[in-house]
Amino acid sequence: MSKNKDMNLGMDIVLSFDKLIHAYKDRMEGEENSFKKLYYSALLQAISKDGFPAANITDSNINDYSEQISLILAELFPESLTFNEIKAATIPLSSKLFNCSGRLQKILNAAGDDFEFNFLDDSKSNRFLLACGLILNKCYDRELDMGTFMHSEIPDSNGNVRTYRITYNADYIYVAPHQNTKKLSEEDINQLLRYPDDEELWKSSFPMGSYKFEGFGIITFTDITVDSAISDLKTILLNNPGSKLAQQQNIEDVFKKMFNMDKIHAGFTSFDAYEGTFEQMHFTDSKSYILGSSHSKNCQNTLCKDAYDHLIKLREPLIIPDVLDYHERQENDFMTFNLINAGIKSAILYPVTKKKKLIGVLEIGSEVPFALNSFNASRIENVIDYIKSAVLRGEEEDENRIKAIIQTECTSIHPSVQWKFEKEARRILKARNNDKEETFRDVGFEDVYPLYGQIDVVGSSDARNNAIKEDLSDQLEKVRSIIDSAKDFEPLPIYEQIGFRVKGYNEKLNSGPIDANSERGIIKLLTEEINPVMDHVRTLSSDLMQRTQEYQDQLDPLNGVIYKKRNNYDNTVQTINHALSRYIDNKQKEAQDIYTHFFERFKTDGVEHNIYIGSSIREDLDFNIVYLYNLRLWQLQTMIEMEDKFYSIQKNLPSQLDAASMILVFDNTLSIRYRIDEKRFDVDGTYNARYEVIKKRIDKANIKGTQERVTQKGTISIIYTNKENEREYMRYINFLQYKKYLGDEVEHLELEDVQGVIGLKALRVNILYGFKASENRMTYDDLTKELHLQQPHNHK
């Protein structure tokens, strides 16, 4: 056998089959079966023919002995498996292959004449590591895995690179140290394994020329192209800048590897659930073969019935082995026409979903009929999760852009109508991605029922004016007292003049309500004339210094006047409004369980709220009139609870106020529209404006033929227009009387006309305070029983 010194490793390498020949001899001697014994005897005689075992075989002449080598390796390379197994024999520590199996030879031939197999020679460190591993395994009984780091990439006939994992079998390699080689201790070996990257340590432990390698190796190839492709795709999808699905060419190369075929096309079509449309993906350079040259199209117009059932209804893959045949069998040929026009003759359309919601369709197409079929379609399942992650990442970036558009164009939007604003923002985003400038349009909702309610401070303007009047009167009296004392020390004319003006304003305050002109005159006198004088008066005596200091301490630092009672009033109103707003906000969350509806509230001197309910608020939910009835009863009860809370939270507040509550019942539907310019919702249309007129004026309306306002403390007023509303709310009133929310004093009233709105009526009923709302609160079942209505199907 050949013997040479490997110049790179400094090791003696000998190609030898002695170990295998000895194994055959041992089997022959120990074999009891006469046929097998005869086989081994004949095999050994054939091997010994022409002195083959002693032949000097080298890299250059190894092909001259291919027949003898094939014979001696017949048991290790059975002819019946030659086109199934991918394997070859090799010279120890070398990439030189011989006795290749038929399948491996076919793979190498397809790779081309210029391909050179070098699974070790490309990396000297790998060869050295393999040599060291063999030494530790053979000489020191260490069981080290010798194949974990070995892979090879070999192009196929289509030019696609296939990836193979290589397993190295060293059973027929004998390793022996030379005579002067130092034997490694157990600790030496452990130290090597602790520091695998310490090249100097390993080279010093295995010096050049210290070991001999004799025999041959066997390497086995395993095709891991699909696994490698999955890893490549994962890298592309996770690392691609901009969170794009993938660069078109890269992702197609990956699918070529996965399906082991040339001319594979990969694309993706996005699905817009709001519009029910297929769209080109604007955050990626991926093509849509379904849409062709179209940017967006309704999915029902895009797909034939069979494709619609698979992708939209069932969310399952559509496999089309023969696109031409499929095209001829469909009435709607838009999709198949686009596939054919792109040269696709077999295809797999794979729906990508998130929580059973379709977000897009992965398209894999081949230019060869039947190349893609039900047998290889399952390969997509290995990568679909990575594709889904990339698409969702792009969707999340889109969602952030949509939120940014809404935040820029609109104020805070109620969750119930968020979907329609997102729909409008998506339209703008799509336009901008196509270099078109679009503006945010008004967002409207048709045929909704309005509910309006308010709880207001009774005589709020009078109460605030009285507080201001008392503060100014108190301040003028303090000024008069201090100025009178100052005259005793300095009989200056200015003191007489200030005293005269103070007396005049005091008389005016005591004679009647304060008006704006008087208020401005008093404040100007106090801040511009009196306050500067006080700095001089305080120097006249210790008593005046103390009294002046006490006076100045009570002044508002910003306005220079006393605001004690007005601050008490404002703080009381602010505290009450904050508590009531928080209360209705929390209760409103429960009301959303009745049926999703739009809700907004405002703080004035009290708390107002608007509610709109109807099918256009939630187009995906069936609307039933019972939801409106339930919401009206919820509103009435909540308003009563808010009024009770209005008084209960005043116990520790500096001012005591009265409240009056009112509900407006409007029986017709109307349209509302979010005005982009005004950043708020408003009723839409001239006819619907009648509702806004009533809403703004009704709390000031008088009972017909009297000067008495319909809203009074201790009661809740329900404004309506027809008998049907009256009967409905009388049922609610009777129910809440039974629940001890309302008293027995129910008034049926007619109201004066309000700016051309005639025929308004009111129910006014007294409130029973101090009830336990948590015990008495009605349930949804209570309502349906009270109204004698059949409960609709659950909308959630």
Side-chain angles (χ1 to χ4, degrees), residues 355-409:
K355 297 180 180 178
K356 298 184 179 180
K357 175 184 174 183
L358 182 66
I359 57 177
V361 176
L362 173 66
E363 309 160 339
I364 306 298
S366 170
E367 297 181 15
V368 180
F370 302 101
L372 296 173
N373 50 63
S374 58
F375 290 95
N376 55 20
S378 60
R379 296 185 183 183
I380 297 177
E381 295 178 3
N382 296 322
V383 298
I384 198 65
D385 285 341
Y386 304 124
I387 293 174
K388 183 185 298 186
S389 296
V391 173
L392 291 179
R393 191 164 64 249
E395 287 284 325
E396 287 172 1
E397 291 189 1
D398 258 10
E399 292 297 331
N400 291 335
R401 295 189 189 103
I402 288 168
K403 289 176 182 177
I405 291 174
I406 294 175
Q407 288 172 358
T408 301
E409 301 291 344

Side-chain angles (χ1 to χ4, degrees), residues 260 270 613 745:
N260 193 23
S270 180
I613 182 173
E745 303 169 15

Side-chain angles (χ1 to χ4, degrees), residues 134 149 151 235 534 683 714:
L134 288 175
F149 60 89
H151 293 82
T235 300
M534 288 296 179
V683 295

Side-chain angles (χ1 to χ4, degrees), residues 197-216:
D197 298 324
D198 191 339
E199 187 174 345
E200 294 302 319
L201 175 64
W202 282 78
K203 285 184 176 181
S204 63
S205 300
F206 301 99
M208 295 177 63
S210 55
Y211 289 89
K212 175 184 178 182
F213 296 83
E214 183 176 335
F216 66 94

Side-chain angles (χ1 to χ4, degrees), residues 626-627 629-630 633 735 778-792:
V626 73
Y627 298 134
Y629 296 153
N630 198 12
L633 183 49
F735 182 71
M778 42 142 275
T779 65
Y780 188 45
D781 291 337
D782 291 334
L783 172 71
T784 52
K785 292 176 183 177
E786 178 65 22
L787 299 179
H788 305 291
L789 291 172
Q790 181 178 1
Q791 185 166 330

Side-chain angles (χ1 to χ4, degrees), residues 629-664:
Y629 296 153
N630 198 12
L631 203 57
R632 282 175 172 173
L633 183 49
W634 169 87
Q635 181 194 36
L636 178 58
Q637 179 170 276
T638 300
M639 291 289 294
I640 296 168
E641 291 174 359
M642 289 173 68
E643 179 144 339
D644 183 67
K645 192 171 185 65
F646 180 95
Y647 289 102
S648 67
I649 62 180
Q650 289 190 62
K651 295 175 182 178
N652 299 317
L653 296 178
S655 297
Q656 299 300 305
L657 306 173
D658 289 318
S661 299
M662 182 270 290
I663 287 174
L664 174 61

Side-chain angles (χ1 to χ4, degrees), residues 1-2 17-18 21 44-57 65 68-69 72:
M1 294 294 124
S2 67
F17 299 97
D18 289 349
I21 293 172
L44 289 170
Q45 289 179 16
I47 291 172
S48 301
K49 187 178 180 181
D50 299 329
F52 166 70
N56 184 25
I57 304 175
Y65 296 91
Q68 292 93 329
I69 292 174
I72 199 171

